[in-house]
Amino acid sequence: MRQRLLHGLLAAALGAAALLAPPAHAARAGHPSATGCDPLAPAECLLPFPNDWYTRPDPDTETGRRVDFAAAVLPRATTGLPIDPAAWNRSDGFSPGSALIAQVPGLDLAVSGAAPLTDIGHSLDRDAPVVLLDTTTGERWPYWAELDANATDPARRALLIHPARNLHDGHHYAVALRRLKDSAGRTIPAGAAFAAVAGRRLPAHDPLRARQDRLRPSLAALRRAGVTTEGLNLAWDFTVASTRSLTGDLFTIRDDAFRRLGNRSPGFAVTGVTDFTAAQDARIAREVTGQITVPSYLGLPGGPPGSVLNRDRDGVPRRLPLSTQPATFRCEIPRSAFRTPSHPSLYGHGLLGSRSEVGAGNVKDMAVEHNFTFCATDWIGMAKEDIPVVLAALADPNLFPAVPERSEQGMLNALFLGRALIHTEGLGTDPAFRTAEGRPLVDTRHGLAYDGNSQGGILGGALVAASHDIRRGVLGVTAMNYGLLLNRSADFAPFQQVLDAAYPDKLRQQIVLQLFQMVWDRGETNAYANHLTDHHQVLMHIAYGDHQVANAAADVEARTIGARLLSPALTAGRSPDTVPYWGIRRIGSGQLPYRGSAMTVWDSGTPTPPLTNTPPAGTEYGHDPHEDPRNSPAARQQKATFLTTGRVINVCGTTPCTATPTS
């Protein structure tokens, strides 16, 4: 049913894009003649990206800079509508997980010796042709490089450089491309503009002098790191947004809402109670539905799809007077709770779904096997009702800020549901959460847990980071950074058609995806990962060969949050990597049970996913293992032990963890 809805909305979005498309003879939007484009990359405005050329000094930010896109430099869709840069220009830097994008016609990465996904450690070699340098610390940063496998025009194929772990919040980075070669082994010369900038001091009247002055400190930092201008094809620099810039919106509305709430429970109303006989449901005894009243920080009454945060003159989110957001919830209470009060947990649903996923079979199994009551509310912003907005935003980036900003309100809704679930004057006072004799069905003494799958993991890390009530969270079949995930996800195919209609040029598409990520950060784990495990524990469950959530992005998350890998993770020879799970520390057998954040890989026998930025489409990639870990009793045992005790246990013995493929 959801697929039919998606395709119907897709047809409408494509039709609108066709009606609004400019004539074929129209000039290409974002052409480098637009004012403000970086002269180092004359082929396409905004390249190289991210780039401090598109920032300005600002003493009021933590980085001392502020993104300063002009509307003229942002790539217009085929609709021809200019993009309002306000949502981007609130940032004091770029995404910590941003792909670095350049264009080098004729480049052959293998001949050049650049580090691929399968050999990330090679990126730190002394003579690596691509150097990513943290100039704040002088540290070389690991990455992998790839050419966009989706490109249709070899002359406009993007070079994508992916940080292997997120860059440090607020730090400054320099990028150098050197001794790059084509397929015949010929060295590719630097462009004329960069050659002039990297050369001798230009006279004051030279139009490139200002660019040279801006780049000189980074070239000096590269020289100190052993990267001279000899053989340099291109170099540029950028600043990563500060933690405050990345997380400020969500933490501002959280702090304001809970300050107003004080020591009280959020207001709630139970609207439905359904008791099941054992014959009707052997696992769940009672289903409870209702609404939590949450202060709304969205600018439209009721906060419908398409709403963005209401902001004051300084851009700070503010609640409209007396504005509220009803958060509809659904709770599943297992039969075991009628014998012993159950553990309270929030549940996070998957891609553009709804709270009804809390009634899925695997969630019911987890509930009854380990005595959990799971409650869920919709991830508004990324829920079923938001699908039209998500599709429209791909065709018109002006609409895109509604996706992460409404998601932030959705996270606040979940935080209020969690508080009501564990508060002594909250949901537990209602007869729906008590036996007929008045005994509580939920044990609120030991805190709140979180369990989410797929999108529930991608957004769930941000929720856990923002929560003062959640101690530990399980992020199932998870990763982060949609700008990295979308090209690699089988789920993105229907949405890709909208993006193709809006931005037919594949090079420009890559820029647009990273522009999206700059504002998407605020509503998913990517912005919170550098500090996620400062005060919380998380357990990542990964399905090897996942068709929907790329393993490469999960590995970046594990490196970033410092999650340890339960080993052995895979049988010998299963991974194509030179060093499997490079940069992720193992949990030694003597460290079990392990107290800390961890990652467990579940292998269903699915073939290794593509090593390019493409999804595992086609029969050669076999069964999609995306749902297999959550359907494994062993995986549920590991999750339950972790959520209730904080201990990561080995449920797989001396062999890698495997999961039975689900039909």
Side-chain angles (χ1 to χ4, degrees):
M1 182 175 178
R2 188 175 112 192
Q3 284 297 105
R4 290 198 298 271
L5 175 64
L6 275 175
H7 286 295
L9 292 167
L10 171 63
L14 288 173
L19 287 172
L20 294 171
H25 64 271
R28 295 201 317 181
H31 189 273
S33 62
T35 302
C37 300
D38 188 346
L40 294 184
E44 181 68 26
C45 202
L46 287 188
L47 290 185
F49 186 90
N51 190 340
D52 267 357
W53 180 257
Y54 300 103
T55 66
R56 61 176 172 83
D58 187 339
D60 295 328
T61 67
E62 292 193 4
T63 65
R65 304 207 67 80
R66 182 174 295 281
V67 174
D68 192 28
F69 290 136
V73 308
L74 295 175
R76 296 189 186 189
T78 52
T79 59
L81 297 173
I83 302 173
D84 180 355
W88 287 265
N89 290 351
R90 278 192 284 271
S91 297
D92 64 4
F94 297 91
S95 171
S98 181
L100 318 182
I101 309 174
Q103 183 195 19
V104 185
L107 174 63
D108 188 308
L109 286 175
V111 174
S112 299
L117 176 61
T118 54
D119 192 4
I120 289 171
H122 182 44
S123 68
L124 300 178
D125 287 355
R126 185 182 183 86
D127 61 347
V130 177
V131 174
L132 177 54
L133 178 71
D134 182 338
T135 67
T136 307
T137 64
E139 178 186 9
R140 289 271 299 273
W141 205 261
Y143 63 84
W144 77 91
E146 62 188 5
L147 294 173
D148 180 15
N150 304 288
T152 54
D153 180 355
R156 290 183 60 78
R157 188 185 305 275
L159 166 61
L160 304 172
I161 303 163
H162 301 284
R165 67 175 185 270
N166 271 13
L167 306 168
H168 286 314
D169 299 354
H171 283 212
H172 178 263
Y173 290 81
V175 190
L177 311 181
R178 56 182 178 172
R179 298 187 291 276
L180 300 182
K181 300 183 184 301
D182 63 17
S183 58
R186 296 183 294 260
T187 299
I188 299 172
F194 179 75
V197 166
R200 299 176 66 124
R201 181 85 160 147
L202 296 170
H205 60 79
D206 192 297
L208 289 174
R209 172 65 178 269
R211 189 66 183 99
Q212 186 179 58
D213 289 344
R214 289 275 295 271
L215 192 58
R216 287 182 74 187
S218 290
L219 290 177
L222 287 166
R223 279 196 300 274
R224 289 192 294 271
V227 181
T228 67
T229 55
E230 182 181 355
L232 204 57
N233 186 276
L234 181 64
W236 75 96
D237 66 330
F238 63 94
T239 301
V240 176
S242 67
T243 303
R244 180 178 179 181
S245 178
L246 291 164
T247 64
D249 282 358
L250 178 57
F251 288 1
T252 293
I253 66 174
R254 174 203 65 185
D255 292 347
D256 185 68
F258 279 92
R259 178 183 60 79
R260 294 171 185 269
L261 182 64
N263 294 323
R264 303 185 306 276
S265 168
F268 66 90
V270 170
T271 58
V273 178
T274 304
D275 288 316
F276 301 105
T277 66
Q280 291 172 317
D281 193 322
R283 296 164 292 185
I284 301 301
R286 180 175 293 170
E287 180 181 291
V288 182
T289 58
Q291 284 190 338
I292 304 291
T293 301
V294 186
S296 177
Y297 293 82
L298 297 172
L300 296 176
S307 302
V308 294
L309 292 171
N310 178 60
R311 297 179 186 273
D312 64 18
R313 293 177 59 183
D314 296 323
V316 178
R318 297 296 185 210
R319 181 188 181 191
L320 288 172
L322 304 179
S323 181
T324 60
Q325 176 81 39
T328 304
F329 69 85
R330 174 173 164 179
C331 296
E332 303 287 325
I333 304 176
R335 297 197 172 278
S336 54
F338 284 79
R339 298 187 295 272
T340 304
S342 58
H343 306 289
S345 181
L346 295 178
Y347 179 77
H349 66 70
L351 179 64
L352 297 169
S354 73
R355 61 190 178 278
S356 64
E357 189 179 304
V358 76
N362 69 88
V363 184
K364 291 182 176 182
D365 286 339
M366 176 79 173
V368 73
E369 290 166 2
H370 303 289
N371 199 24
F372 277 87
T373 286
F374 287 106
C375 294
T377 186
D378 291 352
W379 285 112
I380 66 166
M382 290 288 286
K384 182 178 179 180
E385 64 182 2
D386 296 289
I387 293 173
V389 172
V390 174
L391 284 165
L394 293 173
D396 180 5
N398 286 298
L399 303 175
F400 191 79
V403 176
E405 293 191 12
R406 194 165 184 261
S407 295
E408 291 170 57
Q409 177 70 48
M411 291 177 191
L412 181 62
N413 294 354
L415 293 175
F416 262 54
L417 172 59
R419 177 61 61 87
L421 184 57
I422 63 170
H423 198 282
T424 55
E425 298 176 1
L427 293 172
T429 63
D430 191 278
F433 290 87
R434 291 184 172 269
T435 66
E437 298 77 26
R439 288 184 288 104
L441 294 170
V442 178
D443 184 350
T444 61
R445 295 173 300 172
H446 304 296
L448 181 68
Y450 175 78
D451 189 5
N453 285 297
S454 195
Q455 179 184 282
I458 298 167
L459 275 64
L463 177 72
V464 171
S467 177
H468 295 309
D469 295 323
I470 298 170
R471 297 181 182 182
R472 294 176 283 270
V474 172
L475 309 180
V477 286
T478 190
M480 63 183 188
N481 190 347
Y482 281 107
L484 174 59
L485 285 166
L486 294 184
N487 278 166
R488 290 172 150 83
S489 175
D491 284 339
F492 193 58
F495 302 92
Q496 182 68 51
Q497 296 177 56
V498 179
L499 191 61
D500 285 342
Y503 290 96
D505 181 82
K506 294 293 187 178
L507 177 60
R508 198 161 296 144
Q509 271 190 27
Q510 292 299 332
I511 298 171
V512 169
L513 287 175
Q514 298 313 313
L515 287 172
F516 283 160
Q517 189 59 43
M518 285 180 66
V519 293
W520 216 338
D521 271 351
R522 303 163 190 160
E524 61 117 318
T525 300
N526 197 58
Y528 305 83
N530 277 325
H531 299 286
L532 172 56
T533 53
D534 288 354
H535 305 290
H536 300 85
Q537 283 179 261
V538 295
L539 173 62
M540 300 171 62
H541 272 188
I542 306 303
Y544 185 74
D546 198 323
H547 289 194
Q548 299 176 53
V549 180
N551 292 165
D555 294 350
V556 174
E557 180 173 357
R559 294 185 196 101
T560 302
I561 69 173
R564 296 284 190 95
L565 180 69
L566 187 70
S567 56
L570 295 171
T571 56
R574 184 83 165 98
S575 170
D577 295 353
T578 302
V579 178
Y581 298 102
W582 180 92
I584 304 175
R585 297 176 65 185
R586 273 53 171 176
I587 300 173
S589 58
Q591 296 174 298
L592 289 168
Y594 176 68
R595 289 189 175 273
S597 296
M599 180 171 82
T600 302
V601 178
W602 297 87
D603 191 352
S604 304
T606 293
T608 296
L611 302 178
T612 53
N613 64 325
T614 52
T619 56
E620 66 268 31
Y621 292 105
H623 161 77
D624 181 4
H626 187 66
E627 296 192 6
D628 295 348
R630 72 189 88 170
N631 283 298
S632 163
R636 294 195 294 267
Q637 176 64 66
Q638 188 185 54
K639 291 199 301 182
T641 301
F642 175 78
L643 290 174
T644 55
T645 70
R647 295 180 296 127
V648 178
I649 61 171
N650 184 355
V651 291
C652 305
T654 59
T655 62
C657 291
T658 59
T660 302
T662 54
S663 57

